[in-house]
Amino acid sequence: MTNRQDSVRGMDAQQDAMATPRGLREVLLSPGDCSGCGACTELAPDIVGWREGDERPFLVSDVAPDGVLTELMAFCPEGCFEDGDAS
Ligand code: SF4
């Protein structure tokens, strides 16, 4: 095996190690248009939090079960959530 093949395999192994765990999706939150409705924190308090006095939510976890992320994306009226693994 050449050094180049070793290098490519090493990169593949590194990417596998960095991949989102099975059954979970990377959650991206862009609260730029957030209206502050609070639906996300009620729907998934383990994933989205809200500090007292803040105007916008923050991510408690940057990964969520697939179905939870789907619900966050569906219920946020401003489209603030995205699937980081969809591309
Ligand atoms: S559901 Fe969307 S608009 Fe409502 S608080 Fe959460 S991020 Fe903001």
Side-chain angles (χ1 to χ4, degrees):
M1 180 182 312
T2 67
N3 286 343
R4 188 176 188 308
Q5 287 172 322
D6 286 342
S7 176
V8 169
R9 287 183 188 204
M11 288 172 60
D12 287 346
Q14 194 173 23
Q15 285 177 341
D16 287 346
M18 293 171 54
T20 305
R22 194 180 189 98
L24 297 176
R25 308 292 291 186
E26 181 185 16
V27 181
L28 300 179
L29 170 60
S30 302
D33 293 328
C34 175
S35 62
C37 70
C40 54
T41 57
E42 287 191 30
L43 183 68
D46 294 342
I47 309 297
V48 190
W50 200 299
R51 294 182 192 93
E52 194 171 322
D54 281 359
E55 295 180 5
R56 295 177 174 158
F58 67 94
L59 286 180
V60 174
S61 171
D62 59 1
V63 294
D66 191 10
V68 173
L69 178 55
T70 299
E71 288 184 337
L72 284 168
M73 292 168 61
F75 284 97
C76 174
E78 305 301 337
C80 297
F81 292 92
E82 290 181 56
D83 183 346
D85 292 316
S87 57

